[in-house]
């Protein structure tokens, strides 16, 4: 099974609303990353949070990490139609350099 | 180069044929990854190269799949005797390692269709 599992699988909101996506994982991690993928394109790195951090901000993005629950959330505030994309969490374990991706959340922001 | 470059962007082949997919990472990136993404799915790890170390091949789904990285730069993923279930987008990514927290830079992918 995937190390990272996103929830929900799909999310549809109106422009201006906030979007929250969750990610759960199973093993100890070194860091957790969020990526965005527009349809038919490669992935673009959004934000990285280390295992000793609890919250991180970047522009309209806010990421939290709870290592006791093995979960993370990505909040996009004041969403825009251009935020429509798939969002993936990815974890790097404490040993090795493999980055393991979840199944992703498909976000649709309606204008 | 400015980014990770992959070729071909699209490949249609017949079942049983061999295919080669190429990845040209960002100059100076010592780590290179291959992932596979089926339609509407997440990314499946295939293989990881780090400098001159032995690659992590643990994600290759069968012995029909192989990859090499020449001169620590360009990588080629080879699929022999392709099957219809090999149809997917093959994504390559690279990153720095020394002093890097681990952000990956992805190419646009090679879409493989096996008829």
């Amino acid at each position: 099974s995937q190390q990272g599992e996103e929830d929900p699988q799909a999310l549809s909101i109106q422009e201006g609303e906030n979007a929250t996506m969750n990610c759960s994982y199973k093993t100890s991690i070194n860091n957790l990353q969020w990526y965005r993928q527009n349809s038919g394109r490669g992935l673009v790195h959004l934000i990285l949070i280390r295992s000793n951090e609890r919250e991180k901000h970047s522009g309209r993005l806010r990421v939290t990490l709870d290592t006791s629950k093995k979960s993370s959330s990505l909040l996009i505030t004041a969403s825009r139609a251009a935020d429509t994309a798939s969002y993936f969490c990815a974890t790097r374990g404490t040993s090795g350099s493999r980055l393991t991706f979840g199944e992703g959340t498909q976000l649709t922001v309606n204008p | 180069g400015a980014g990770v470059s992959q070729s071909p962007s699209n490949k249609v082949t017949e079942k049983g044929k061999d295919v080669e997919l190429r990845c040209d990472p960002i100059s100076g990136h010592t780590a290179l990854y291959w992932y596979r993404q089926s339609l509407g799915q997440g990314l499946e790890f295939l293989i990881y190269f780090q400098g001159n170390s032995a690659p992590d091949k643990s994600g290759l789904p069968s012995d029909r799949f192989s990859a090499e990285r020449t001169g620590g730069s360009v990588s080629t993923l080879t699929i022999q005797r392709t099957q219809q279930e090999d149809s997917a987008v093959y994504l390559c990514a690279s990153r720095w390692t020394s002093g890097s927290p681990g952000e990956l830079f992805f190419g646009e992918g090679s879409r493989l269709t096996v008829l």
Side-chain angles (χ1 to χ4, degrees):
Chain A
S1 61
Q2 290 289 332
Q3 163 75 326
E5 297 182 1
E6 286 90 342
D7 163 52
Q9 289 187 323
L11 179 62
S12 181
I13 60 174
Q14 296 299 123
E15 223 170 12
E17 293 180 340
N18 295 341
T20 300
M21 289 160 271
N22 302 297
C23 169
S24 60
Y25 57 92
K26 294 182 169 62
T27 62
S28 296
I29 62 170
N30 178 284
N31 66 60
L32 185 145
Q33 305 176 32
W34 285 91
Y35 288 79
R36 167 194 166 123
Q37 183 180 36
N38 285 66
S39 180
R41 307 296 298 275
L43 279 74
V44 175
H45 180 266
L46 294 176
I47 194 166
L48 179 151
I49 187 164
R50 300 177 197 271
S51 60
N52 61 353
E53 297 176 311
R54 291 297 167 257
E55 187 170 316
K56 204 161 183 180
H57 297 254
S58 177
R60 293 184 295 114
L61 304 180
R62 172 178 170 252
V63 170
T64 62
L65 179 64
D66 187 334
T67 52
S68 67
K69 295 181 179 177
K70 291 187 168 57
S71 67
S72 172
S73 67
L74 172 68
L75 168 67
I76 304 175
T77 60
S79 64
R80 306 166 182 168
D83 295 328
T84 295
S86 291
Y87 292 82
F88 295 88
C89 71
T91 53
R92 170 162 286 113
T94 52
S95 60
S97 295
R98 177 190 298 203
L99 199 61
T100 303
F101 286 80
E103 298 294 319
T105 293
Q106 171 61 52
L107 173 66
T108 301
V109 181
N110 302 298
Chain B
V4 177
S5 178
Q6 291 190 245
S7 61
S9 54
N10 278 288
K11 176 72 177 179
V12 179
T13 190
E14 293 179 345
K15 178 181 172 181
K17 295 284 180 67
D18 297 351
V19 296
E20 284 190 352
L21 307 176
R22 175 188 167 107
C23 174
D24 201 341
I26 293 172
S27 178
H29 282 194
T30 56
L32 186 147
Y33 299 75
W34 282 99
Y35 289 88
R36 177 168 73 174
Q37 185 177 32
S38 299
L39 187 63
Q41 300 296 309
L43 277 68
E44 176 189 2
F45 169 80
L46 296 178
I47 189 169
Y48 161 68
F49 295 91
Q50 170 52 54
N52 296 322
S53 302
D56 176 357
K57 303 179 182 181
S58 59
L60 295 178
S62 77
D63 58 8
R64 296 186 296 104
F65 288 73
S66 63
E68 62 176 20
R69 188 178 185 192
T70 53
S73 181
V74 172
S75 177
T76 302
L77 177 68
T78 301
I79 309 173
Q80 295 179 310
R81 305 180 302 283
T82 52
Q83 303 294 312
Q84 288 183 330
E85 60 263 29
D86 299 335
S87 295
V89 176
Y90 290 81
L91 292 162
C92 176
S94 68
R95 69 177 176 95
W96 287 286
T97 47
S98 59
S100 165
E103 169 188 355
L104 297 190
F105 294 80
F106 280 84
E108 295 292 305
S110 291
R111 180 177 299 277
L112 174 66
T113 303
V114 182
L115 301 177

